[in-house]
Amino acid sequence: KNEVEQSPQNLTAQEGEFITINCSYSVGISALHWLQQHPGGGIVSLFMLSSGKKKHGRLIATINIQEKHSSLHITASHPRDSAVYICAVSRYQGAQKLVFGQGTRLTINP
Amino acid sequence: SAVISQKPSRDICQRGTSLTIQCQVDSQVTMMFWYRQQPGQSLTLIATANQGSEATYESGFVIDKFPISRPNLTFSTLTVSNMSPEDSSIYLCSSVFYNEQFFGPGTRLTVL
């Protein structure tokens, strides 16, 4: 079993829909990251969380440390949000290397 | 923020040859990381490139296959040696700058 599991693996929605991507992990972590990978391969860091909730524009990320679970939400989704969203965790305090989930491929249709 | 560039962006190579990928960061960083992303898969850490000492390799990766150099705090290279079609992947370098993760654009390698 992977240390970081994401669901769903693939998600297709219509423009404007509210999107939720889930991430569960089975190990102790110091931080959880949400990353976005576009079709060309480039990866952008969206959030780093160690507790609570963060918001940036239409993106919201939450984490529940007790339940070892995080969610990424996209409000008013748009075709340009189409990408692979990856959850990753830092295992130890001060650790910079990451353990990655398998990614969620999101497609938003106009 | 930090900007990471990689060269080449893509290459097609013959079985048995080697390819060296360069990674340049526009800021001085303590650690640089090399990841591999096989087709349809997520990222797997190959090794951590440490300035002034040997790289630290993850389980399943060895120095003879993936030699790494880190001559200074802004630059690193990863060589994929004696390539086989199974090495066809995207190779990405990454670092952390002020607690934020940055990734290079990746090198898409195809081995025939």
Side-chain angles (χ1 to χ4, degrees):
Chain A
K1 190 178 190 305
N2 293 334
E3 292 178 332
V4 182
E5 295 275 356
Q6 286 183 237
S7 63
Q9 285 191 289
N10 294 282
L11 178 57
T12 300
Q14 291 300 119
E15 182 172 357
E17 286 189 36
F18 181 82
I19 302 299
T20 296
I21 299 170
N22 296 300
C23 175
S24 296
Y25 52 93
S26 57
V27 295
I29 69 169
S30 61
L32 183 142
H33 303 254
W34 282 102
L35 309 168
Q36 182 190 54
Q37 185 173 30
H38 279 283
I43 296 176
V44 174
S45 175
L46 299 175
F47 295 104
M48 183 179 74
L49 294 162
S50 53
S51 65
K53 176 180 174 178
K54 286 190 176 180
K55 184 176 189 293
H56 182 68
R58 295 180 294 106
L59 302 177
I60 303 166
T62 63
I63 187 168
N64 184 317
I65 298 295
Q66 287 73 31
E67 296 186 2
K68 294 186 174 177
H69 182 268
S70 176
S71 294
L72 176 68
H73 305 285
I74 304 175
T75 62
S77 59
H78 189 276
R80 65 174 174 265
D81 297 325
S82 299
V84 175
Y85 292 83
I86 303 170
C87 171
V89 300
S90 307
R91 288 289 308 276
Y92 309 106
Q93 190 67 35
Q96 299 183 350
K97 64 181 183 180
L98 301 178
V99 177
F100 293 82
Q102 72 271 43
T104 295
R105 184 174 299 276
L106 174 65
T107 303
I108 305 295
N109 294 319
Chain B
S1 67
V3 176
I4 301 180
S5 58
Q6 284 184 235
K7 287 196 290 190
S9 58
R10 59 177 62 229
D11 207 342
I12 301 173
C13 300
Q14 295 297 320
R15 181 196 299 262
T17 62
S18 298
L19 176 72
T20 295
I21 302 167
Q22 298 179 10
C23 178
Q24 179 78 52
V25 187
D26 69 348
S27 303
Q28 292 187 337
V29 291
T30 306
M31 284 188 281
M32 294 173 73
F33 304 95
W34 286 99
Y35 292 93
R36 180 175 74 180
Q37 186 176 32
Q38 293 177 299
Q41 306 294 315
S42 192
L43 285 78
T44 302
L45 181 64
I46 299 171
T48 302
N50 307 303
Q51 196 270 331
S53 64
E54 279 199 4
T56 306
Y57 288 83
E58 298 298 307
S59 175
F61 298 96
V62 295
I63 188 171
D64 289 346
K65 176 67 176 176
F66 296 103
I68 286 171
S69 78
R70 181 84 195 274
N72 57 52
L73 292 174
T74 64
F75 186 79
S76 178
T77 67
L78 169 76
T79 298
V80 186
S81 302
N82 188 24
M83 288 184 284
S84 67
E86 292 71 37
D87 294 319
S88 297
S89 294
I90 297 175
Y91 293 85
L92 297 105
C93 69
S94 169
S95 190
V96 176
F97 189 70
Y98 283 94
N99 285 326
E100 187 173 349
Q101 291 276 341
F102 293 92
F103 291 85
T107 295
R108 187 179 294 272
L109 171 61
T110 302
V111 184
L112 303 177

